[in-house]
Amino acid sequence: MSAEIDLKRSLGVWMNDESSPDLKIIIYRYLDMIERHLKYLESFAEEEQVKSFSISNRVTKAFIDEINEKLAACSCPQVKNACVLAGIQGINHFKISAYGTAAAFADAAGLYKAATLFHQAEKDEKSIDEDLSHLAAHQINKEALAPVVLNT
């Protein structure tokens, strides 16, 4: 749950700093998706009487810190967009793995309602991943290369 909360905070900041309207749209959709994921996790915790989740997710925090370091060192908006997109995708891949693992474990434990929730979260993350990959290939990476090509 802490990974979702940490990512939600950072996405809001990155969305406000981004210059790509298409990336902003995906980030906005991702924020809505994270809200659903938090509800899934809260529902799961309540039903299974989980008293607490990890206070901090070191992996997500490391991704966020790395993205913020890159953004602080970069002045080109197009390159910043590429950094944010790549960083979000890294976090996204971690979350796909985490939700997939949780879904498989819940299935094995006979927690079928929880498994359904985790499978849906995994599917949601894969959808965002596809959107980010498409945007990277068709717009963001090309725009990030333009200032580099012009300066050589």
Side-chain angles (χ1 to χ4, degrees):
M1 189 176 307
S2 66
E4 295 286 16
I5 293 168
D6 291 343
L7 180 57
K8 180 181 167 184
R9 281 188 209 121
S10 294
L11 285 173
V13 171
W14 298 332
M15 183 175 66
N16 289 330
D17 290 343
E18 292 316 303
S19 62
S20 167
D22 293 330
L23 185 54
K24 282 183 181 185
I25 289 168
I26 293 174
I27 292 173
Y28 184 75
R29 282 196 5 257
Y30 202 17
L31 285 168
D32 285 343
M33 193 177 291
I34 288 171
E35 284 296 326
R36 285 196 313 273
H37 293 176
L38 286 169
K39 288 178 184 171
Y40 294 164
L41 292 169
E42 289 169 6
S43 171
F44 169 75
E46 188 175 298
E47 286 185 24
E48 297 304 319
Q49 300 177 1
V50 175
K51 299 293 182 212
S52 69
F53 282 94
S54 174
I55 293 172
S56 175
N57 185 296
R58 291 182 301 243
V59 174
T60 302
K61 184 169 177 3
F63 273 113
I64 290 169
D65 289 346
E66 182 177 351
I67 294 165
N68 287 332
E69 285 176 25
K70 288 178 181 177
L71 293 176
C74 182
S75 62
C76 177
Q78 294 87 354
V79 175
K80 283 185 175 190
N81 286 334
C83 288
V84 168
L85 188 147
I88 291 171
Q89 222 166 6
I91 295 168
N92 180 254
H93 292 171
F94 168 71
K95 289 173 59 188
I96 289 169
S97 173
Y99 280 127
T101 300
F105 186 82
D107 274 331
L111 302 170
Y112 302 114
K113 185 176 180 182
T116 300
L117 296 176
F118 293 134
H119 279 296
Q120 182 60 50
E122 179 188 20
K123 183 179 172 183
D124 292 345
E125 294 293 337
K126 286 179 179 179
S127 173
I128 288 292
D129 181 49
E130 289 174 11
D131 292 345
L132 288 169
S133 291
H134 184 268
L135 184 61
H138 294 93
Q139 179 187 347
I140 298 295
N141 291 342
K142 290 176 183 178
E143 291 174 355
L145 285 173
V148 175
V149 172
L150 292 175
N151 290 331
T152 58

Coordinates of all heavy atoms in Angstrom, one line a residue, residues 12-60:
G12 N 1.6 13.2 -8.9 CA 0.9 14.5 -8.9 C 1.9 15.7 -9.1 O 1.7 16.6 -9.9
V13 N 3.1 15.5 -8.6 CA 4.2 16.5 -8.8 C 4.7 16.5 -10.2 O 4.8 17.5 -10.9 CB 5.3 16.3 -7.8 CG1 6.5 17.2 -8.1 CG2 4.9 16.5 -6.3
W14 N 5.0 15.3 -10.7 CA 5.5 15.1 -12.0 C 4.5 15.6 -13.1 O 4.9 16.2 -14.1 CB 5.9 13.7 -12.3 CG 7.0 13.2 -11.4 CD1 8.0 14.0 -10.8 CD2 7.3 11.9 -11.0 NE1 8.8 13.2 -10.0 CE2 8.4 11.9 -10.1 CE3 6.6 10.7 -11.2 CZ2 8.9 10.7 -9.6 CZ3 7.1 9.5 -10.7 CH2 8.2 9.5 -9.8
M15 N 3.2 15.3 -12.8 CA 2.2 15.7 -13.8 C 2.2 17.2 -13.9 O 2.0 17.8 -15.0 CB 0.8 15.2 -13.4 CG -0.3 15.5 -14.4 SD -1.8 14.8 -14.0 CE -2.2 15.6 -12.5
N16 N 2.3 17.9 -12.8 CA 2.3 19.4 -12.9 C 3.5 20.0 -13.5 O 3.4 21.1 -14.1 CB 2.1 20.0 -11.4 CG 0.7 19.7 -10.9 OD1 -0.2 19.6 -11.6 ND2 0.6 19.5 -9.6
D17 N 4.6 19.3 -13.5 CA 5.9 19.8 -14.1 C 6.0 19.4 -15.6 O 6.9 19.9 -16.2 CB 7.1 19.2 -13.3 CG 7.2 19.8 -11.9 OD1 6.5 20.8 -11.7 OD2 7.9 19.2 -11.1
E18 N 5.2 18.5 -16.0 CA 5.4 17.9 -17.4 C 4.9 18.9 -18.5 O 3.9 19.6 -18.3 CB 4.7 16.6 -17.6 CG 5.4 15.5 -16.8 CD 6.9 15.5 -16.9 OE1 7.4 15.5 -18.0 OE2 7.5 15.7 -15.8
S19 N 5.5 18.9 -19.6 CA 5.1 19.7 -20.7 C 4.3 18.9 -21.8 O 3.6 19.5 -22.6 CB 6.3 20.4 -21.4 OG 7.2 19.4 -21.9
S20 N 4.4 17.6 -21.7 CA 3.7 16.8 -22.7 C 2.2 16.6 -22.3 O 2.0 15.9 -21.3 CB 4.3 15.4 -22.9 OG 3.5 14.6 -23.6
P21 N 1.3 17.1 -23.0 CA -0.1 16.9 -22.7 C -0.5 15.4 -22.7 O -1.3 15.0 -21.9 CB -0.9 17.7 -23.8 CG 0.1 18.6 -24.3 CD 1.4 18.0 -24.2
D22 N 0.0 14.7 -23.6 CA -0.3 13.2 -23.7 C 0.2 12.5 -22.5 O -0.4 11.6 -22.0 CB 0.3 12.6 -25.0 CG -0.4 13.2 -26.2 OD1 -1.6 13.5 -26.2 OD2 0.2 13.2 -27.3
L23 N 1.4 12.8 -22.0 CA 1.9 12.2 -20.8 C 1.1 12.6 -19.6 O 0.8 11.8 -18.7 CB 3.4 12.6 -20.6 CG 4.1 11.9 -19.4 CD1 4.0 10.4 -19.5 CD2 5.6 12.3 -19.4
K24 N 0.7 13.8 -19.6 CA -0.2 14.3 -18.5 C -1.5 13.5 -18.4 O -2.0 13.1 -17.4 CB -0.6 15.8 -18.6 CG 0.5 16.7 -18.2 CD 0.1 18.1 -18.3 CE 1.2 19.1 -17.9 NZ 0.8 20.5 -17.8
I25 N -2.1 13.2 -19.6 CA -3.3 12.4 -19.6 C -3.1 11.0 -19.1 O -3.9 10.5 -18.3 CB -3.8 12.4 -21.1 CG1 -4.4 13.7 -21.5 CG2 -4.9 11.3 -21.3 CD1 -4.6 13.9 -23.0
I26 N -2.0 10.4 -19.5 CA -1.7 9.0 -18.9 C -1.5 9.1 -17.4 O -2.0 8.2 -16.7 CB -0.5 8.4 -19.7 CG1 -0.9 8.1 -21.1 CG2 -0.1 7.1 -19.0 CD1 0.2 7.6 -22.0
I27 N -0.7 10.1 -17.0 CA -0.5 10.2 -15.5 C -1.8 10.4 -14.8 O -2.0 9.8 -13.8 CB 0.5 11.3 -15.2 CG1 1.9 10.9 -15.8 CG2 0.6 11.6 -13.7 CD1 3.0 12.0 -15.7
Y28 N -2.7 11.2 -15.3 CA -4.0 11.5 -14.7 C -4.7 10.2 -14.6 O -5.3 9.9 -13.6 CB -4.7 12.5 -15.5 CG -6.0 12.9 -14.8 CD1 -6.0 13.7 -13.7 CD2 -7.2 12.5 -15.3 CE1 -7.2 14.1 -13.1 CE2 -8.4 12.8 -14.7 CZ -8.4 13.6 -13.6 OH -9.6 13.9 -13.0
R29 N -4.8 9.4 -15.7 CA -5.5 8.1 -15.7 C -4.8 7.1 -14.7 O -5.5 6.4 -14.0 CB -5.5 7.5 -17.1 CG -6.5 8.1 -18.0 CD -6.8 7.3 -19.2 NE -6.2 6.0 -19.4 CZ -5.2 5.7 -20.2 NH1 -4.6 6.6 -20.9 NH2 -4.7 4.5 -20.2
Y30 N -3.5 7.2 -14.6 CA -2.8 6.4 -13.6 C -3.1 6.7 -12.2 O -3.3 5.9 -11.3 CB -1.3 6.5 -13.9 CG -0.5 5.3 -13.3 CD1 -1.0 4.1 -13.0 CD2 0.9 5.4 -13.2 CE1 -0.2 3.0 -12.5 CE2 1.7 4.4 -12.8 CZ 1.1 3.2 -12.4 OH 1.9 2.2 -12.0
L31 N -3.3 8.0 -11.9 CA -3.7 8.5 -10.6 C -5.1 7.9 -10.2 O -5.3 7.4 -9.1 CB -3.7 10.0 -10.5 CG -2.3 10.7 -10.4 CD1 -2.4 12.2 -10.6 CD2 -1.7 10.4 -9.1
D32 N -6.0 7.9 -11.2 CA -7.3 7.3 -10.9 C -7.2 5.8 -10.7 O -7.9 5.3 -9.8 CB -8.3 7.6 -12.1 CG -8.8 9.0 -12.3 OD1 -8.7 9.7 -11.3 OD2 -9.2 9.3 -13.4
M33 N -6.4 5.2 -11.4 CA -6.1 3.8 -11.2 C -5.6 3.5 -9.9 O -6.0 2.5 -9.2 CB -5.2 3.3 -12.3 CG -5.1 1.8 -12.5 SD -4.1 1.3 -13.9 CE -5.0 1.9 -15.3
I34 N -4.6 4.3 -9.4 CA -4.0 4.1 -8.1 C -5.1 4.2 -7.0 O -5.0 3.5 -6.0 CB -2.8 5.1 -7.9 CG1 -1.7 4.6 -8.8 CG2 -2.4 5.1 -6.4 CD1 -0.5 5.6 -8.9
E35 N -6.0 5.1 -7.2 CA -7.1 5.3 -6.2 C -7.9 4.0 -6.1 O -8.2 3.5 -5.0 CB -8.0 6.4 -6.6 CG -7.5 7.8 -6.3 CD -7.3 8.1 -4.8 OE1 -8.1 7.6 -4.0 OE2 -6.3 8.8 -4.5
R36 N -8.1 3.3 -7.2 CA -8.8 2.0 -7.2 C -8.0 1.0 -6.5 O -8.5 0.2 -5.7 CB -9.2 1.6 -8.6 CG -10.4 2.4 -9.2 CD -11.0 1.7 -10.5 NE -10.0 1.2 -11.4 CZ -9.5 1.9 -12.4 NH1 -9.9 3.2 -12.6 NH2 -8.7 1.4 -13.3
H37 N -6.7 1.0 -6.8 CA -5.8 0.0 -6.2 C -5.8 0.2 -4.7 O -5.8 -0.8 -4.0 CB -4.4 0.1 -6.8 CG -4.3 -0.3 -8.2 ND1 -3.2 -0.1 -8.9 CD2 -5.2 -0.7 -9.1 CE1 -3.4 -0.5 -10.2 NE2 -4.6 -0.9 -10.3
L38 N -5.7 1.4 -4.2 CA -5.8 1.6 -2.8 C -7.0 1.1 -2.2 O -7.0 0.5 -1.1 CB -5.6 3.1 -2.5 CG -4.2 3.7 -2.7 CD1 -4.1 5.2 -2.7 CD2 -3.2 3.1 -1.7
K39 N -8.2 1.3 -2.9 CA -9.4 0.7 -2.4 C -9.4 -0.8 -2.3 O -9.9 -1.4 -1.4 CB -10.6 1.2 -3.2 CG -10.9 2.7 -3.0 CD -12.0 3.2 -3.8 CE -12.2 4.7 -3.6 NZ -13.1 5.3 -4.6
Y40 N -8.8 -1.4 -3.4 CA -8.6 -2.9 -3.4 C -7.8 -3.3 -2.2 O -8.2 -4.3 -1.5 CB -7.8 -3.4 -4.6 CG -8.5 -3.2 -6.0 CD1 -7.7 -3.3 -7.1 CD2 -9.8 -3.0 -6.2 CE1 -8.2 -3.2 -8.4 CE2 -10.3 -2.8 -7.4 CZ -9.5 -2.9 -8.5 OH -10.0 -2.8 -9.8
L41 N -6.7 -2.6 -1.9 CA -5.8 -3.0 -0.8 C -6.5 -2.8 0.5 O -6.4 -3.6 1.4 CB -4.5 -2.2 -0.9 CG -3.6 -2.6 -2.1 CD1 -2.5 -1.6 -2.3 CD2 -3.1 -4.0 -2.0
E42 N -7.2 -1.7 0.7 CA -7.9 -1.5 1.9 C -9.0 -2.5 2.1 O -9.2 -3.0 3.3 CB -8.6 -0.1 1.9 CG -7.6 1.0 2.0 CD -8.2 2.4 1.7 OE1 -9.4 2.5 1.6 OE2 -7.4 3.4 1.7
S43 N -9.7 -2.9 1.1 CA -10.7 -4.0 1.2 C -10.1 -5.3 1.6 O -10.6 -6.0 2.4 CB -11.5 -4.1 -0.2 OG -12.3 -5.2 -0.2
F44 N -9.0 -5.6 0.9 CA -8.3 -6.8 1.2 C -7.8 -6.8 2.7 O -8.0 -7.8 3.4 CB -7.1 -7.0 0.3 CG -6.1 -8.1 0.7 CD1 -6.5 -9.4 0.5 CD2 -4.9 -7.8 1.3 CE1 -5.6 -10.5 0.9 CE2 -4.1 -8.8 1.7 CZ -4.4 -10.2 1.5
A45 N -7.2 -5.7 3.1 CA -6.7 -5.7 4.5 C -7.9 -5.8 5.5 O -7.7 -6.5 6.5 CB -6.0 -4.3 4.7
E46 N -9.0 -5.2 5.2 CA -10.1 -5.3 6.1 C -10.7 -6.7 6.2 O -10.9 -7.3 7.3 CB -11.2 -4.3 5.7 CG -12.4 -4.2 6.6 CD -13.4 -3.1 6.2 OE1 -13.0 -2.0 6.0 OE2 -14.5 -3.5 5.9
E47 N -10.9 -7.3 5.0 CA -11.5 -8.7 5.0 C -10.5 -9.7 5.6 O -11.0 -10.7 6.2 CB -11.8 -9.1 3.5 CG -13.0 -8.4 3.0 CD -13.4 -8.9 1.6 OE1 -13.0 -10.0 1.3 OE2 -14.1 -8.1 0.9
E48 N -9.2 -9.6 5.4 CA -8.3 -10.5 5.9 C -7.7 -10.1 7.3 O -6.8 -10.8 7.8 CB -7.2 -10.8 4.9 CG -7.6 -11.3 3.6 CD -8.4 -12.7 3.8 OE1 -8.0 -13.5 4.6 OE2 -9.4 -12.8 3.1
Q49 N -8.2 -9.0 7.8 CA -7.8 -8.5 9.1 C -6.3 -8.3 9.2 O -5.7 -8.6 10.2 CB -8.3 -9.4 10.2 CG -9.8 -9.6 10.2 CD -10.3 -10.5 11.3 OE1 -9.5 -11.1 12.0 NE2 -11.6 -10.7 11.4
V50 N -5.7 -7.7 8.1 CA -4.3 -7.3 8.1 C -4.2 -6.1 8.9 O -4.9 -5.1 8.7 CB -3.8 -7.1 6.7 CG1 -2.4 -6.6 6.7 CG2 -4.0 -8.4 5.8
K51 N -3.4 -6.1 10.0 CA -3.3 -5.0 10.9 C -2.5 -3.8 10.3 O -2.8 -2.7 10.6 CB -2.6 -5.4 12.2 CG -3.4 -6.5 12.9 CD -4.7 -6.0 13.4 CE -5.5 -7.0 14.2 NZ -6.9 -7.0 14.1
S52 N -1.4 -4.2 9.5 CA -0.6 -3.1 8.9 C 0.1 -3.6 7.7 O 0.4 -4.8 7.6 CB 0.4 -2.5 10.0 OG 1.4 -3.5 10.2
F53 N 0.4 -2.7 6.9 CA 1.2 -2.9 5.7 C 2.6 -2.3 6.0 O 2.8 -1.5 6.9 CB 0.6 -2.3 4.4 CG -0.5 -3.0 3.8 CD1 -1.8 -2.7 4.2 CD2 -0.3 -4.1 3.0 CE1 -2.9 -3.4 3.6 CE2 -1.4 -4.8 2.4 CZ -2.7 -4.4 2.8
S54 N 3.5 -2.6 5.1 CA 4.9 -2.0 5.2 C 4.7 -0.5 5.3 O 4.0 0.1 4.5 CB 5.7 -2.5 4.1 OG 6.9 -1.8 4.1
I55 N 5.5 0.1 6.1 CA 5.4 1.6 6.3 C 6.0 2.2 5.1 O 5.6 3.3 4.6 CB 6.1 2.0 7.6 CG1 5.3 1.5 8.8 CG2 6.3 3.5 7.6 CD1 6.0 1.7 10.1
S56 N 7.1 1.6 4.5 CA 7.8 2.2 3.4 C 8.1 1.1 2.4 O 8.5 0.0 2.8 CB 9.0 2.9 3.9 OG 9.8 3.4 2.8
N57 N 8.0 1.4 1.1 CA 8.4 0.5 0.1 C 9.8 1.0 -0.5 O 9.8 2.0 -1.2 CB 7.4 0.4 -1.0 CG 7.7 -0.7 -2.0 OD1 8.7 -0.5 -2.7 ND2 6.9 -1.7 -2.1
R58 N 10.9 0.4 -0.1 CA 12.2 0.8 -0.5 C 12.4 0.8 -2.0 O 13.1 1.7 -2.6 CB 13.3 0.0 0.2 CG 13.3 0.3 1.7 CD 14.4 -0.5 2.3 NE 14.2 -1.9 2.0 CZ 14.1 -2.8 3.0 NH1 14.1 -2.5 4.2 NH2 13.9 -4.1 2.7
V59 N 11.8 -0.1 -2.7 CA 12.0 -0.2 -4.2 C 11.3 1.0 -4.8 O 12.0 1.7 -5.7 CB 11.4 -1.5 -4.7 CG1 11.5 -1.6 -6.2 CG2 12.2 -2.7 -4.1
T60 N 10.1 1.2 -4.5 CA 9.4 2.4 -5.1 C 10.1 3.7 -4.7 O 10.3 4.6 -5.6 CB 7.9 2.4 -4.7 OG1 7.3 1.2 -5.1 CG2 7.2 3.5 -5.3

